[in-house]
Amino acid sequence: MSAQPFVTVFAIYPNLTHLDFTGPHQVLCRLPNSQTIIASRDGGDIVAEGGLVIGQTVRLADIPRCDLICVPGGMTTTEVALDEAFVGEIRRLASGAKYITSVCTGSLILGAAGLLQGKRAACHWAWRGMLTEFGAIPDEARVVRDGNIFTGGGVTAGIDFAFTMFAEIAGEGYAKALTLGLEYAPAPPYACGRPELADHETLSRVAANMDKAMAQRLAEAREAGARLTAQTGTA
């Protein structure tokens, strides 16, 4: 690690899925000689999914640079992908970052910023196909690396993603020690956390619930993809 602090920026927005952010934050804020900044488009308090208030965020435009930028996911990501001010700040910070990262549907925002064209990327299983709207290559792995881009799958995959990043930045020894320190030893009471593991009834129930938002989210993703094509000529 260099003498200069390693700067991590979490770029968040209203109604994000807070575990997409808080899981990786709990890990990455432990990086040696580092500074972790929580930022949003306008700064101030952000109300996440379920009413959790994340207070005193920094305005994205006020951050000159970072070493790692992470965009968490949420049910509003395709809406946020149409927010040109937010997406523009992600693109600006990513241009100078050593690592460009996301968790869950945050990869759709990276896509809208033009950062995933021709790149493999992870996303929550229900929305993974939308990555193609941005010229990305959907990958079903829990953590995906393509060059300096690291993307985590749905929600809890953000913790696996964060330990992967920790090892990349600080070394495997530090990552192993933190894994023990945080007692990260997943043993879910129900082994149905991925579509291929779930029984038919459970998968059908969850898919039906996701379908309620599918049309709107797909329309928003397509609009964001069309904007990207107009700007860059590729998607």
Side-chain angles (χ1 to χ4, degrees):
M1 305 288 287
S2 67
Q4 186 75 17
F6 185 95
V7 178
T8 297
V9 171
F10 284 94
I12 67 173
Y13 47 86
N15 293 315
L16 81 156
T17 299
H18 50 77
L19 186 56
D20 284 9
F21 154 63
T22 55
H25 180 274
Q26 179 67 72
V27 175
L28 294 177
C29 73
R30 304 288 188 92
L31 281 167
N33 188 34
S34 68
Q35 177 186 13
T36 304
I37 301 172
I38 306 168
S40 62
R41 188 190 67 182
D42 301 322
D45 293 352
I46 292 292
V47 181
E49 187 179 291
L52 178 70
V53 178
I54 302 166
Q56 300 181 338
T57 69
V58 174
R59 200 167 68 106
L60 279 165
D62 293 336
I63 302 171
R65 59 165 296 279
C66 65
D67 295 290
L68 184 154
I69 184 164
C70 183
V71 183
M75 289 300 290
T76 56
T77 44
T78 49
E79 179 183 345
V80 174
L82 295 171
D83 183 338
E84 294 182 2
F86 185 89
V87 172
E89 291 299 332
I90 300 302
R91 186 184 300 114
R92 176 183 66 82
L93 287 169
S95 68
K98 185 174 182 179
Y99 300 108
I100 301 166
T101 76
S102 67
V103 176
C104 197
T105 52
S107 57
L108 300 177
I109 294 176
L110 294 186
L115 300 169
L116 297 182
Q117 292 172 336
K119 301 290 187 179
R120 293 181 300 107
C123 189
H124 187 286
W125 62 266
W127 320 106
R128 191 186 299 136
M130 294 182 186
L131 285 166
T132 61
E133 300 295 331
F134 309 105
I137 303 166
D139 192 315
E140 65 181 20
R142 195 158 169 84
V143 180
V144 175
R145 178 179 189 171
D146 194 328
N148 70 331
I149 298 173
F150 289 73
T151 50
V155 193
T156 60
I159 300 174
D160 293 2
F161 147 79
F163 278 110
T164 301
M165 292 306 313
F166 202 99
E168 168 74 16
I169 297 162
E172 188 176 282
Y174 272 108
K176 286 181 175 179
L178 185 58
T179 298
L180 176 57
L182 295 179
E183 199 174 344
Y184 183 54
Y190 303 105
C192 57
R194 290 177 65 94
E196 63 270 22
L197 300 176
D199 59 86
H200 178 72
E201 181 181 354
T202 300
L203 180 57
S204 296
R205 178 181 298 175
V206 175
N209 187 54
M210 298 292 189
D211 283 347
K212 296 175 184 177
M214 183 62 72
Q216 178 180 344
R217 298 197 80 184
L218 183 56
E220 290 168 344
R222 286 176 173 168
E223 182 179 348
R227 290 185 184 181
L228 179 63
T229 301
Q231 292 170 358
T232 66
T234 58

